[in-house]
Amino acid sequence: MRMALYCDFVTDETRPLQLILRADYDFGGFDWSNILYLPLSGPFERFEPEEFEDQLGVSVLLEDLLVPKERRAASEGTRADGTSPLPNKLGIDLPRIANRHPGAEITILIIQIPDAEEVLGYGWRTWLQLYH
């Protein structure tokens, strides 16, 4: 699977707008029967619109995104130094997406960065500083 960021110029800076996942069918593609957990440690490639080609891509909705239970529980507390632990993985409910698009041969998943930020509980600047 290839994980990349689609970035564009917004107001006065370039910022990530979408996290793009492309299935690698040489290795079986997406496993639609399980939740997919994405490491947020990068590095993230840049993704250009021309790379979509003729592949079927679908949006990952806010309700499809999850934070792993162990990280969600940990983020409710604080560390000894007073800081909050931040989730370092993002889950995608692939069975839910498969039910919405039965029989479709989906090769690209598109996550809107604001949706990921809402689920994770922190913004893109924090994400990029922590994981780049």
Side-chain angles (χ1 to χ4, degrees), residues 9-50:
F9 195 79
V10 177
T11 311
D12 59 351
E13 62 188 342
T14 300
R15 61 180 289 178
L17 301 177
Q18 298 171 327
L19 179 61
I20 311 291
L21 307 173
R22 179 185 277 177
D24 186 347
Y25 280 95
D26 291 338
F27 296 100
F30 295 119
D31 178 359
W32 297 104
S33 63
N34 288 307
I35 293 173
L36 172 65
Y37 289 102
L38 304 172
L40 298 179
S41 56
F44 298 103
E45 301 176 48
R46 289 259 176 128
F47 196 85
E48 299 299 327
E50 298 80 34

Side-chain angles (χ1 to χ4, degrees), residues 34-91:
N34 288 307
I35 293 173
L36 172 65
Y37 289 102
L38 304 172
L40 298 179
S41 56
F44 298 103
E45 301 176 48
R46 289 259 176 128
F47 196 85
E48 299 299 327
E50 298 80 34
E51 295 180 64
F52 282 104
E53 300 170 1
D54 294 331
Q55 299 179 40
L56 179 58
V58 298
S59 290
V60 176
L61 304 178
L62 180 62
E63 55 265 21
D64 299 327
L65 297 175
L66 312 162
V67 174
K69 289 180 184 175
E70 67 275 5
R71 295 300 299 177
R72 188 171 50 238
S75 67
E76 292 169 358
T78 57
R79 294 183 182 142
D81 65 2
T83 62
S84 295
L86 297 173
N88 62 357
K89 288 186 180 178
L90 181 64

